[in-house]
Amino acid sequence: MVIRREDGQIIGWGGLYEDPFDPGWDFEIGYYFRPDVWGHGYASELVHAALDVADLKLRLPEVWAMAHPENGGSKRVLEKAGFQFCRHLPDRNRLLFCRPRPIE
């Protein structure tokens, strides 16, 4: 759950997870925010915090994320965080983005 500090309102959810209902997928970052808070940097902040956990604590070799093909804002958030487009997943109507752990 993502709670806005200023007023304590729930504005979305998200984080780093391994989907227990879809074995075989790597760790992924997922998020959802209310449309009225889009464009305020909350998704970028969440993605960067999740990548810190993936890179520094879990030392994951790769992290995935998905975006709806028509969601340009989400695609930009992922690309700015270092994700690259991997492939289209037609059965989910999603674009799959991948990001390897940076070389140390």
Side-chain angles (χ1 to χ4, degrees):
M1 191 169 3
V2 179
I3 300 172
R4 189 169 37 203
R5 287 186 192 119
E6 296 83 40
D7 58 12
Q9 291 291 311
I10 296 170
I11 59 170
W13 60 264
L16 176 70
Y17 61 93
E18 187 174 26
D19 190 342
F21 302 106
D22 203 353
W25 278 100
D26 278 338
F27 279 84
E28 65 182 277
I29 294 175
Y31 52 86
Y32 170 81
F33 288 92
R34 294 185 339 214
D36 63 307
V37 301
W38 292 355
H40 293 271
Y42 296 117
S44 293
E45 186 176 345
L46 183 141
V47 168
H48 285 288
L51 286 173
D52 281 348
V53 172
D55 294 341
L56 304 174
K57 292 186 180 182
L58 299 176
R59 305 188 61 74
L60 298 174
E62 184 174 59
V63 178
W64 295 356
M66 288 184 257
H68 286 277
E70 65 278 359
N71 190 337
S74 193
K75 290 187 283 189
R76 280 190 299 280
V77 165
L78 297 173
E79 289 166 351
K80 286 189 326 187
F83 283 85
Q84 294 182 340
F85 172 75
C86 290
R87 66 183 183 271
H88 179 248
L89 303 172
D91 59 323
R92 297 174 185 222
N93 190 31
R94 300 283 190 281
L95 303 177
L96 178 66
F97 288 82
C98 305
R99 180 194 166 273
R101 185 173 76 227
I103 297 173
E104 300 169 3

